[in-house]
Amino acid sequence: MGSIEMDKERLTAEMAFTDSSSVVIKIRRRLPDFLQSVKLKYVKLGYRYTSNHAVYVNVVALALFIAVAVRLTGIRFDGFSSFFWSCICPDPATSLACSALGALLLAIYIFKRPRPVYLVDFSCYKPEDGRKISTEGFLDMTESTGVFEEETVQFHKRITKRSGLGDETYLPAGIHSRPPNLNMKEARLEAETVMFGALDALFEKTGVRPRDVGVLIVNCSLFNPTPSLSSMIVNHYKMRGDVRSFNLGGMGCSAGLISVDLAKDLLQANPNTYAVVVSTENITLNWYFGNDRSMLLCNCIFRMGGAAVLLSNKRKDKRRSKYQLIHTVRTHKGADNKSYNCVFQKEDDKGTVGVSLDRDLMAVAGDALKTNITTLGPLVLPFSEQFKFLVTLVRRKFFQMKVKPYIPDFKLAFEHFCIHAGGRAVLDELQKNLDLADWHMEPSRMTLHRFGNTSSSSLWYELAYTEAKGRVLKGDRVWQIAFGSGFKCNSAVWRSLKGIPEISVGCETEELDSNPWADCIHRYPVKLPVG
């Protein structure tokens, strides 16, 4: 990603709202005013209690209103009892007609109501130790290629030191080799290794056979061979001939949630069905070997990874499922030229392909986030938060009052936050402007440190971290949010169906083998250097 200027308002170049292996960002500004100017300081204990018990408050208010109305109007209840019984016990013909109508409406409701969508389980791919790359090893590799100029090597060093990545991230074999072996064969090998590794673990832990899957959705932004990646999976697992398979490309780091939303729609239309979503990114053929600083950032922060998710609309699966999908909200700002062009794949002046990020990227991302949370808010926030937001909006728009925009307290709606680990600076800005504690941001920051930016699959590494820590309790709500080129901002809301116990290293459990954090969770969280 592009040239990075550090000053009092600098935003470091770890930003990766893109779907690419090479991206550019040249930014001096922070998020727009609607987020920049607002920082919620605190919520009083009494207010929080009132928010969480809004139903009871409303009932009491309604009772008081009725009492006052009766007192002021002098309404009498003489004869009310006989009127009530005459209404509920009419003549037999009317009773029969009402019963038939009630049965019809009940049947329509049962058959038309949305089918619940359950997340049975998910699996994150963990590469073998031979694919690990330390920060020093990455810098040595960069210098040894002989492709990069001295200024470019120094740029890599500056970005790597403040990227938030640790010494145990992973790179594919094609990039590890000396010299790098970047070709279609190696790219296919990376895709197969990641996808099959995640799927093998998923099928083993759920007991679902590949031939039981009715819907298959694969998303990978930059590597789209023929036959497609979804066909690669169908062929490898010998899936049935009527499987509904989809292959999503070029949709960025938010494509994983787009895939979940598509799976939800397909499960609504196809009863008694399993859906599998595979999210990954391929960096073998998208490693940038050039000296244009506007396209170098992804070399520093994108790493190897992927995840597979099993969804079901079978009611019998509720008992064994981990989560239920509550909401998905998709925001697409592509109709605006500034949003459309802010992340753009192109060639540098020497013909090397990369992806550039416009200097307006943060403003575009902020606008997409604003639209997304404005849509999501009424679905998840308590009434009191919605009311405060509405009052502020009316004061600003209708009375032209100079008051700060009100950003609702989303901590009242969610217990856990999985924010795409696109880069350290982005996480800093979102934490500040959504007023989240370090505890809420810990899964995202630790995922960036341990696995790097794995694009659309990073949300699942973050959820796996939360589970490994034993933080997920029955009834907890999880907010996943990601950004992508186009420009898009997408959200998914899950409710936990059961508590998930903490992983204890040394215990022989199935979870110990399937969770990517199993062998290192005891070392996290780690203290990140200030950069």
Side-chain angles (χ1 to χ4, degrees):
M1 289 188 166
S3 175
I4 309 206
E5 304 183 22
M6 304 296 295
D7 54 27
K8 290 183 179 180
E9 292 186 293
R10 63 103 171 91
L11 181 63
T12 54
E14 297 94 73
M15 169 69 183
F17 278 156
T18 181
D19 47 338
S20 158
S21 63
S22 301
V23 282
V24 54
I25 184 167
K26 187 175 182 179
I27 299 171
R28 286 176 176 270
R29 65 191 66 184
R30 294 182 182 273
L31 292 178
D33 289 343
F34 86 94
L35 284 177
Q36 179 176 321
S37 61
V38 178
K39 188 175 186 299
L40 305 180
K41 295 182 179 179
Y42 59 89
V43 177
K44 293 183 179 179
L45 180 61
Y47 173 70
R48 186 181 296 274
Y49 181 85
T50 303
S51 299
N52 292 333
H53 298 82
V55 173
Y56 305 106
V57 174
N58 291 336
V59 169
V60 172
L62 179 61
L64 291 174
F65 173 78
I66 293 175
V68 172
V70 170
R71 181 67 177 173
L72 294 178
T73 59
I75 296 176
R76 298 179 59 83
F77 290 91
D78 295 343
F80 177 78
S81 177
S82 60
F83 172 76
F84 174 77
W85 287 110
S86 65
C87 289
I88 65 173
C89 299
D91 60 274
T94 305
S95 298
L96 182 61
C98 291
S99 299
L101 178 61
L104 177 62
L105 294 176
L106 179 61
I108 293 175
Y109 169 76
I110 292 175
F111 287 104
K112 290 295 184 180
R113 63 176 175 172
R115 294 183 177 89
V117 175
Y118 304 114
L119 192 162
V120 179
D121 214 328
F122 66 96
S123 178
C124 299
Y125 175 67
K126 182 181 176 183
E128 58 187 16
D129 289 344
R131 301 279 74 82
K132 283 185 179 180
I133 184 79
S134 65
T135 53
E136 290 299 324
F138 168 76
L139 294 175
D140 291 342
M141 180 195 71
T142 300
E143 192 169 2
S144 67
T145 59
V147 174
F148 301 108
E149 299 173 354
E150 179 60 28
E151 291 185 359
T152 302
V153 173
Q154 296 303 317
F155 178 79
H156 270 137
K157 290 181 179 180
R158 291 196 301 273
I159 298 304
T160 300
K161 288 181 179 179
R162 57 174 177 261
S163 65
L165 273 68
D167 292 326
E168 295 183 291
T169 59
Y170 303 91
L171 286 176
I175 297 177
H176 257 292
S177 61
R178 299 291 185 274
N181 185 21
L182 310 182
N183 52 47
M184 178 64 75
K185 181 180 179 180
E186 288 293 336
R188 284 184 179 274
L189 177 61
E190 179 190 352
E192 291 174 352
T193 302
V194 173
M195 295 192 305
F196 298 163
L199 285 169
D200 286 346
L202 181 69
F203 291 138
E204 180 178 357
K205 68 197 297 190
T206 60
V208 173
R209 300 174 304 171
R211 291 189 62 84
D212 295 332
V213 176
V215 175
L216 172 66
I217 304 173
V218 181
N219 64 270
C220 182
S221 292
L222 293 176
F223 182 59
N224 293 285
T226 300
S228 66
L229 297 178
S230 59
S231 294
M232 188 184 299
I233 293 174
V234 172
N235 175 262
H236 179 79
Y237 290 100
K238 308 305 177 187
M239 291 184 169
R240 66 195 202 206
D242 64 344
V243 62
R244 293 168 172 82
S245 64
F246 300 85
N247 202 94
L248 307 182
M251 303 195 78
C253 298
S254 65
L257 297 186
I258 294 175
S259 299
V260 168
D261 182 67
L262 175 59
K264 179 192 72 173
D265 292 341
L266 291 168
L267 289 174
Q268 295 298 332
N270 299 276
N272 201 37
T273 304
Y274 285 118
V276 168
V277 172
V278 180
S279 297
T280 187
E281 189 53 88
N282 190 289
I283 58 180
T284 296
L285 286 182
N286 295 288
W287 199 254
Y288 178 67
F289 284 99
N291 291 284
D292 188 335
R293 289 190 180 185
S294 66
M295 299 178 180
L296 286 170
L297 180 62
C298 281
N299 288 8
C300 300
I301 64 174
F302 273 85
R303 293 295 184 264
M304 184 181 185
V309 181
L310 179 65
L311 302 173
S312 172
N313 59 12
K314 302 179 180 181
R315 295 188 181 277
K316 67 178 182 179
D317 283 326
K318 180 178 181 179
R319 180 174 299 179
R320 68 173 183 140
S321 297
K322 286 186 173 181
Y323 305 92
Q324 181 176 347
L325 181 61
I326 306 302
H327 302 292
T328 54
V329 175
R330 293 173 55 181
T331 300
H332 202 310
K333 310 294 289 189
D336 175 68
N337 288 335
K338 182 189 295 185
S339 299
Y340 174 75
N341 292 306
C342 72
V343 181
F344 211 85
Q345 189 175 24
K346 62 182 183 181
E347 297 173 331
D348 63 16
D349 56 359
K350 294 186 178 180
T352 305
V353 176
V355 175
S356 67
L357 301 185
D358 190 83
R359 64 173 59 207
D360 292 325
L361 176 62
M362 287 300 292
V364 168
D367 183 54
L369 176 62
K370 176 184 177 182
T371 304
N372 191 270
I373 64 177
T374 301
T375 304
L376 179 67
L379 301 175
V380 298
L381 288 168
F383 173 77
S384 53
E385 285 293 292
Q386 299 183 46
F387 181 74
K388 296 184 76 171
F389 178 83
L390 177 62
V391 169
T392 304
L393 182 65
V394 170
R395 294 174 66 189
R396 286 171 54 85
K397 298 297 184 181
F398 293 97
F399 296 100
Q400 303 298 316
M401 299 177 66
K402 294 182 179 180
V403 296
K404 291 182 178 181
Y406 181 72
I407 301 300
D409 187 355
F410 281 94
K411 297 190 296 295
L412 297 175
F414 306 109
E415 285 73 36
H416 308 288
F417 297 79
C418 295
I419 301 172
H420 166 55
R424 181 174 180 174
V426 177
L427 298 179
D428 289 344
E429 288 297 306
L430 288 176
Q431 176 178 7
K432 182 181 68 176
N433 290 286
L434 291 177
D435 194 28
L436 301 178
D438 290 341
W439 187 87
H440 295 113
M441 299 298 297
E442 185 180 309
S444 298
R445 294 191 187 279
M446 296 306 104
T447 294
L448 184 64
H449 181 272
R450 175 64 179 85
F451 294 97
N453 181 350
T454 60
S455 189
S456 57
S457 64
S458 68
L459 298 174
W460 302 107
Y461 288 92
E462 294 165 17
L463 186 55
Y465 178 92
T466 306
E467 291 184 355
K469 282 291 184 180
R471 297 177 179 177
V472 178
L473 305 178
K474 184 177 181 179
D476 280 0
R477 297 155 297 180
V478 181
W479 181 16
Q480 292 181 320
I481 184 167
F483 302 84
S485 60
F487 192 85
K488 301 179 288 294
C489 176
N490 301 318
S491 294
V493 177
W494 306 88
R495 184 176 66 244
S496 174
L497 298 176
K498 60 183 179 181
I500 300 174
E502 178 182 2
I503 290 180
S504 298
V505 177
C507 295
E508 297 296 331
T509 65
E510 178 183 354
E511 200 68 22
L512 188 61
D513 297 328
S514 60
N515 191 302
W517 296 90
D519 64 340
C520 63
I521 192 62
H522 62 288
R523 294 191 277 112
Y524 283 86
V526 298
K527 185 176 181 180
L528 299 175
V530 178

